Amino acid sequence: MPTRIDDAPEGRDTPMAIAGQHAVNGQPMTPPWPEGMEEIVLGLGCFWGAERLFWQLPGVHVTAVGYAGGVTPNPTYRETCTGRTGHAEVVRVVFDPRRLDLTTLLRHFWEAHDPTQGHRQGNDIGPQYRSIILTTSEPQREAAERSRAAYAEALRRAGRGEVTTEIAPLEAFYYAEDYHQQYLDKNPGGYCGLKGTGVSCPIA
């Protein structure tokens, strides 16, 4: 069932305190971004492995994990895990489109998870693990929708289910607690739930 505002935790006015510097590449994790950078927010299950996927891509300026797509302001991890905030676990990806085009970034997104599972990714169950793309411009939205249609067709041909990925404009991104930021760099043996379908995404 969709989250109702009166069911959601109240949240807070104060943003989560984070170190502010990316543990892997040393870049600031808070804006302003350097001129020419683009930002997109992606949810594909547990954000630990998802963030590592994106920070490793050439052309990504910086990443941060957080919560978005719901109603509770500045939620905690514990609140988000109740499923009542409406938020998904997401990765803010700031990238240089001169070095990494959006189509390539979206192809990595689609192929790294199973976008047909609704409110889950594998054994991770709940709306916080849903597949979601939150865009910051109209061209991004159009590209995301084209890529969703192309991958949905590829999955149908492979006998997989219907794509459940949401695409919407980004309204707010709330940073997760500092210990979640670059978690798999700080904890190399930590849990990574990423598992694709094995179906290639047919976008150039």
Side-chain angles (χ1 to χ4, degrees):
M1 294 178 61
T3 300
R4 298 203 315 266
I5 291 177
D6 57 355
D7 285 337
E10 183 177 347
R12 55 207 46 82
D13 295 330
T14 305
M16 199 69 63
I18 61 169
Q21 189 174 53
H22 198 279
V24 177
N25 66 21
Q27 296 290 352
M29 289 192 292
T30 56
W33 315 122
E35 185 177 353
M37 296 296 138
E38 289 191 28
E39 174 187 348
I40 193 166
V41 172
L42 304 169
L44 52 159
C46 175
F47 50 21
W48 294 343
E51 187 186 19
R52 181 173 62 182
L53 167 73
F54 294 120
W55 86 51
Q56 292 177 338
L57 295 180
V60 169
H61 174 70
V62 75
T63 57
V65 295
Y67 314 111
V71 296
T72 298
N74 298 298
T76 65
Y77 181 69
R78 185 180 297 273
E79 288 168 343
T80 302
C81 286
T82 68
R84 296 188 297 112
T85 67
H87 290 300
E89 292 190 15
V90 295
V91 184
R92 169 186 258 173
V93 182
V94 180
F95 65 101
D96 185 345
R98 296 162 295 189
R99 297 182 57 211
L100 175 64
D101 62 273
L102 180 59
T103 298
T104 299
L105 182 57
L106 289 170
R107 179 166 51 79
H108 283 281
F109 165 80
W110 291 116
E111 293 180 355
H113 75 299
D114 183 347
T116 70
Q117 295 192 68
H119 285 183
R120 68 182 299 163
Q121 276 297 304
N123 293 327
D124 295 327
I125 299 172
Q128 67 271 30
Y129 299 115
R130 69 191 187 275
S131 177
I132 188 169
I133 301 173
L134 297 168
T135 60
T136 59
S137 69
E138 183 63 16
Q140 280 189 5
R141 183 193 63 79
E142 292 172 354
E145 291 184 351
R146 286 194 302 270
S147 70
R148 180 174 62 182
Y151 199 45
E153 178 59 26
L155 290 172
R156 279 193 290 270
R157 290 180 179 179
R160 308 298 293 246
E162 292 295 315
V163 169
T164 60
T165 305
E166 299 173 31
I167 298 174
L170 176 66
E171 294 185 359
F173 170 85
Y174 300 108
Y175 288 95
E177 293 84 344
D178 200 51
Y179 72 90
H180 288 300
Q181 306 295 337
Q182 299 86 61
Y183 181 86
L184 290 181
D185 178 69
K186 301 169 184 174
N187 302 274
Y191 170 75
C192 175
L194 286 187
K195 185 178 181 181
T197 62
V199 177
S200 297
C201 182
I203 54 179

